[in-house]
Amino acid sequence: TDNTFYAICPYGSFADRYMPLVVTADCTDEPMYSNVTCSFQSEQAQALYKILYLAEEITDYNVADIAEQTSAAVASADDLAAVHVDLAADIVSNISATTNISEAVATHVLDVFDTLTTKVSDEDIEQSSAYGGAPKKLVSGIETAAKKVATPANQTSVTIKKGSVGLSVLDIPESRTSTVVFSVTRVTGQDISGAVFNLDGVEDATDEQKDRRKKRHARRQRRDVGNETEEDLAEEEEAETKVEIAIAADVATITQRLSFMVFNSSKMFIESQETVLKSLSMVSNPFETGTLSIQSSVLGGSVDENTANSTAVGSGRSAPVAVMTLSTDGGVDKQRTPYCVFWDDEEQMWSQTGLQITSCDSEAISCSSDHLTNFAVLMNIGNNTFSGAHTTAMEILTYTGCSLSILCLALTVVGLAIGKMRRNPTYHIHMMLAGTLGFAMLMFLVGLERREHWLMCKIFAVIIHYSFLASCCWMLVEGVNLYVALVIVFGINHKKLKIAAHCFAWGFPAIMCLVTVIVDKYVPGIELYEICMTAKYCFLNHTGRMYFFVTPVFVMMAINIFIFVRVIIVLAKATKNRTGWTDLRQISVLVSITGVTWICGAFTVGGSVGTLIFNYLYIILNSFQGILIFYFQCFQKPDVKKAWIEKLSGSSNSKFGTAGMTSSTGAGLGGTVKAGRSPKPLPTPAMPDTVPQLDRVSVPSAQDQDQE
């Protein structure tokens, strides 16, 4: 609108002066032109710009010279910045677009990538990614060059190794029918140029590397049998890392070339802020804190262009295309949760789609994939939310509370069985709850950390899953029983209610565990159990816990909280001469059998002071739950104590009656029936205007209920 135009200098360069170009309003006169000189920060950047824009077009005839000039320009720069990455990436893209890529050209391309990876800061690489997607172009350029590089005469493979990147290609004969394996072994901390590549059984190890390997093997043999020498003890063990990829035989059969790439770091795999959040949502557990980072070399595999479009290598394939084994930096332990991921080139993010962990130990993780691309291990490095003192205290409380609870729950079951009160529906529910919760805690202590073998670990995971779900189901049954007794009161068929309770408490956990096992085993890409033997526990992983344990438990506890509040209101209205101690006792009894304290688990996430308090509350209230059940449902019951006295005294003539029977209607909350009485069942007229006092409510005895 103001008839002014501005000269735009190339990215990374600066104008020597500010000079607008002005033309007349009607454009009839000649415009006044003025040259503006654009200067780069360095001679190397200017040289790259000239190669990219001012030199002749890159063709099959001059590609070798262009690749050599680009490599020299990048290598001679002392201070590489984002502009160098951007310009070099465009040149590499143009080079890889040609068809005449010799081994020398591919070597220059890898030189450029290696120099940029080594010398350019992470901030500058991220800047170049935001501006023009330079890292993506560089990685894509290497993959394309690997597919096109010509093999020497009378050879079927090419291997090129640089400090931060390496590639190997193998031309597949038509008669090929077996799996192709590519592996890279190197001393930890060493770059790729000193690694040993093994492609289809052919190893490029030097004599020195072979000799060092033999000595290391011999030293390990002597150590295993206890015959280490002083020299062995003095010599420092060289740790090795290894990455390996095996291509399925049917894929190798139909393709003409297999290409393999290995990147020393994930520096050139840049995610945007949006895709970082998306990656976190896919692999990170929202109930665990930690930092996600790539903790392995990036290993890639690809087929020729014709095979790449085949359904045999496409996503959704039933059999795995490839199986990878990736050594992790620092290993895998309780604080480092691994995920198999691949680089999604379209989304520019790390993804788990189509990948499944097959095995995991303290040094490496193995995964299967239904497609070929660049793979890595994404590690969730857990932060210690609380100090070591708090962690130790929580462990002591957990093991102490569970151990005491197991003992008390066992005594509760035995006590109720001796007293023959299992015929009473309420006492029967108490026995079932005590039995399942005691068994769950026992399996928790015995099997939670049995990670010696994956099958044993998985069996314990299923048992713990089932037993705790069953315990929560019986807690819900306790709550429903209270609601029926105190709120509904009349018109209840106790026999049908008992059958329904058993079907729900045993059947629902079985269905949940069965669905979990089936989904984990047969649904591709979904894992619900911890597979790594170095995982924290033998239990469900975060996905399995969220959908098949936490969700159903929270739903049941939410129902029990509603019942808890409703029952407290009824008791408050029905109980006369109430005191603070009475209220506290009633609440304690309800808490012990309904398990509403389990809802505290929702507030144990994070590292704040409030979270620390809820962690302690959650551990204390739930691990000591068995003690409360024993105290209120066994120790405080006169009929149970009388049965114990008779049993211990060896009185064979005493016969247990209804003396001191606690009201089943009140679930042991204060109502009793006078000794010697055998009251009739309550009639079922309309509910009176006022709720009767609990201590005056008559309930059917165990014998009458059986007859009914």
Side-chain angles (χ1 to χ4, degrees):
T1 56
D2 60 358
N3 306 312
T4 303
F5 298 85
Y6 299 92
I8 306 299
C9 284
Y11 169 65
S13 63
F14 305 91
D16 63 341
R17 55 180 172 157
Y18 179 77
M19 180 64 68
L21 309 179
V22 183
V23 298
T24 58
D26 56 5
C27 297
T28 55
D29 297 333
E30 285 292 325
M32 297 181 296
Y33 292 102
S34 178
N35 291 329
V36 176
T37 301
C38 296
S39 302
F40 284 90
Q41 291 175 310
S42 66
E43 295 180 1
Q44 290 77 17
Q46 188 167 347
L48 292 173
Y49 179 78
K50 288 181 178 180
I51 293 173
L52 184 60
Y53 294 110
L54 303 182
E56 56 185 324
E57 182 182 357
I58 301 176
T59 64
D60 291 341
Y61 300 101
N62 65 6
V63 64
D65 293 335
I66 297 297
E68 183 177 3
Q69 293 173 25
T70 305
S71 177
V74 172
S76 61
D78 295 327
D79 187 16
L80 292 174
V83 60
H84 300 91
V85 181
D86 184 69
L87 295 171
D90 285 335
I91 298 174
V92 168
S93 294
N94 292 341
I95 291 174
S96 63
T98 63
T99 57
N100 184 23
I101 297 182
S102 63
E103 185 176 352
V105 172
T107 301
H108 289 311
V109 170
L110 264 65
D111 278 328
V112 172
F113 185 94
D114 179 46
T115 304
L116 295 175
T117 303
T118 306
K119 293 185 177 181
V120 181
S121 67
D122 293 346
E123 292 75 13
D124 282 329
I125 290 180
E126 291 178 4
Q127 183 180 344
S128 67
S129 175
Y131 178 79
K136 177 182 178 180
K137 295 176 183 177
L138 288 169
V139 173
S140 178
I142 290 180
E143 293 174 345
T144 305
K147 293 178 181 179
K148 295 180 179 181
V149 61
T151 56
N154 302 322
Q155 294 186 22
T156 59
S157 64
V158 173
T159 295
I160 305 172
K161 294 186 288 187
K162 297 298 175 182
S164 61
V165 63
L167 68 81
S168 284
V169 299
L170 178 66
D171 291 331
I172 307 296
E174 294 182 358
S175 59
R176 178 80 188 212
T177 58
S178 58
T179 301
V180 176
V181 179
F182 169 71
S183 66
V184 178
T185 306
R186 59 192 174 95
V187 175
T188 302
Q190 192 179 57
D191 60 29
I192 292 176
S193 61
V196 176
F197 280 27
N198 189 314
L199 177 59
D200 201 27
V202 179
E203 192 176 71
D204 65 352
T206 63
D207 293 338
E208 181 183 355
Q209 289 171 328
K210 292 178 181 178
D211 184 59
R212 187 166 60 243
R213 182 184 301 170
K214 289 180 181 179
K215 289 182 178 180
R216 183 167 56 250
H217 180 68
R219 185 168 58 250
R220 288 179 179 176
Q221 283 185 324
R222 290 192 295 270
R223 183 185 60 192
D224 292 341
V225 297
N227 292 331
E228 288 181 293
T229 64
E230 293 183 2
E231 183 180 342
D232 293 337
L233 296 174
E235 189 171 351
E236 186 177 353
E237 179 75 16
E238 288 183 336
E240 283 189 342
T241 59
K242 182 178 181 179
V243 293
E244 180 179 285
I245 182 170
I247 308 298
D250 61 330
V251 176
T253 301
I254 64 173
T255 189
Q256 297 177 354
R257 166 169 286 194
L258 286 171
S259 306
F260 303 97
M261 290 75 62
V262 58
F263 303 90
N264 197 27
S265 73
S266 60
K267 196 172 183 177
M268 289 294 179
F269 298 87
I270 305 295
E271 294 182 288
S272 66
Q273 187 63 32
E274 293 77 12
T275 56
V276 165
L277 295 175
K278 191 174 181 180
S279 295
L280 285 171
S281 66
M282 290 181 64
V283 302
S284 183
N285 180 5
F287 287 89
E288 291 181 358
T289 59
T291 302
L292 288 174
S293 66
I294 297 297
Q295 293 288 305
S296 72
S297 300
V298 179
L299 179 64
S302 63
V303 294
D304 61 72
E305 296 294 340
N306 294 328
T307 312
N309 298 323
S310 170
T311 56
V313 198
S315 179
R317 167 188 164 103
S318 58
V321 169
V323 176
M324 296 76 62
T325 301
L326 302 166
S327 295
T328 58
D329 300 336
V332 182
D333 54 38
K334 292 183 180 181
Q335 297 299 324
R336 297 162 63 88
T337 306
Y339 303 94
C340 267
V341 293
F342 77 94
W343 181 250
D344 190 328
D345 197 52
E346 293 183 1
E347 296 286 343
Q348 288 292 287
M349 60 176 284
W350 295 104
S351 172
Q352 287 183 292
T353 306
L355 296 180
Q356 186 169 7
I357 298 177
T358 56
S359 66
C360 182
D361 56 33
S362 60
E363 297 179 353
I365 179 172
S366 296
C367 320
S368 62
S369 172
D370 63 0
H371 58 281
L372 287 174
T373 181
N374 294 309
F375 305 98
V377 176
L378 185 65
M379 195 77 73
N380 185 359
I381 304 175
N383 296 328
N384 289 325
T385 307
F386 306 116
S387 65
H390 286 301
T391 303
T392 303
M394 290 177 186
E395 290 181 355
I396 293 174
L397 285 172
T398 298
Y399 283 95
T400 302
C402 287
S403 299
L404 293 175
S405 287
I406 291 171
L407 176 62
C408 290
L409 290 169
L411 291 175
T412 302
V413 173
V414 173
L416 295 178
I418 288 177
K420 299 181 180 179
M421 284 153 295
R422 57 184 178 274
R423 292 187 238 173
N424 183 297
T426 299
Y427 281 127
H428 179 80
I429 296 172
H430 293 341
M431 286 183 61
M432 294 297 102
L433 172 59
T436 53
L437 186 58
F439 179 77
M441 289 186 174
L442 179 63
M443 291 297 100
F444 176 84
L445 295 183
V446 172
L448 194 65
E449 297 185 355
R450 295 297 297 271
R451 301 182 300 273
E452 298 88 354
H453 189 272
W454 70 269
L455 181 58
M456 178 187 295
C457 187
K458 195 165 187 177
I459 290 173
F460 272 113
V462 175
I463 294 174
I464 294 171
H465 184 200
Y466 178 84
S467 56
F468 272 105
L469 275 182
S471 300
C472 292
C473 287
W474 280 111
M475 292 176 201
L476 180 58
V477 172
E478 289 275 15
V480 172
N481 184 58
L482 282 170
Y483 189 83
V484 168
L486 294 178
V487 179
I488 299 179
V489 181
F490 301 111
I492 302 300
N493 189 320
H494 291 283
K495 183 174 290 187
K496 290 184 178 180
L497 190 63
K498 181 178 179 180
I499 295 173
H502 276 274
C503 291
F504 168 73
W506 302 122
F508 176 72
I511 293 173
M512 293 295 292
C513 290
L514 182 62
V515 171
T516 306
V517 172
I518 292 174
V519 171
D520 177 75
K521 184 174 179 60
Y522 295 105
V523 178
I526 297 181
E527 298 162 3
L528 300 177
Y529 291 97
E530 296 285 8
I531 292 192
C532 289
M533 291 301 98
T534 53
K536 297 179 182 179
Y537 309 116
C538 293
F539 195 53
L540 301 168
N541 61 20
H542 71 270
T543 303
R545 289 196 300 271
M546 281 299 299
Y547 292 102
F548 295 96
F549 184 72
V550 174
T551 299
V553 168
F554 273 24
V555 169
M556 288 187 282
M557 292 304 105
I559 296 173
N560 265 0
I561 289 175
F562 167 77
I563 294 174
F564 178 84
V565 174
R566 189 73 178 86
V567 168
I568 288 294
I569 294 174
V570 171
L571 292 176
K573 293 179 179 179
T575 307
K576 63 179 181 180
N577 300 324
R578 294 171 58 229
T579 63
W581 170 249
T582 302
D583 292 340
L584 179 61
R585 184 180 183 279
Q586 291 175 348
I587 292 173
S588 300
V589 173
L590 292 176
V591 166
S592 68
I593 60 177
T594 58
V596 294
T597 54
W598 283 66
I599 208 71
C600 292
F603 306 99
T604 59
V605 182
S608 64
V609 175
T611 302
L612 177 63
I613 294 173
F614 270 107
N615 270 272
Y616 276 109
L617 285 175
Y618 179 78
I619 291 171
I620 293 172
L621 293 175
N622 293 324
S623 63
F624 288 85
Q625 183 180 359
I627 300 175
L628 293 177
I629 292 176
F630 170 74
Y631 179 78
F632 289 114
Q633 306 304 332
C634 193
F635 184 78
Q636 284 284 299
K637 294 301 176 69
D639 42 4
V640 177
K641 288 192 288 187
K642 179 181 178 182
W644 271 98
I645 293 172
E646 292 178 351
K647 189 71 175 178
L648 294 175
S649 63
S651 175
S652 58
N653 297 324
S654 61
K655 185 177 181 181
F656 179 73
T658 58
M661 175 70 73
T662 302
S663 169
S664 63
T665 304
L669 296 177
T672 59
V673 179
K674 293 183 179 180
R677 289 190 180 181
S678 179
K680 300 296 183 182
L682 285 171
T684 56
M687 182 68 75
D689 294 335
T690 59
V691 179
Q693 300 293 336
L694 287 183
D695 55 358
R696 299 177 60 188
V697 175
S698 298
V699 296
S701 66
Q703 182 178 359
D704 290 336
Q705 289 177 354
D706 288 343
Q707 292 174 355
E708 182 184 0

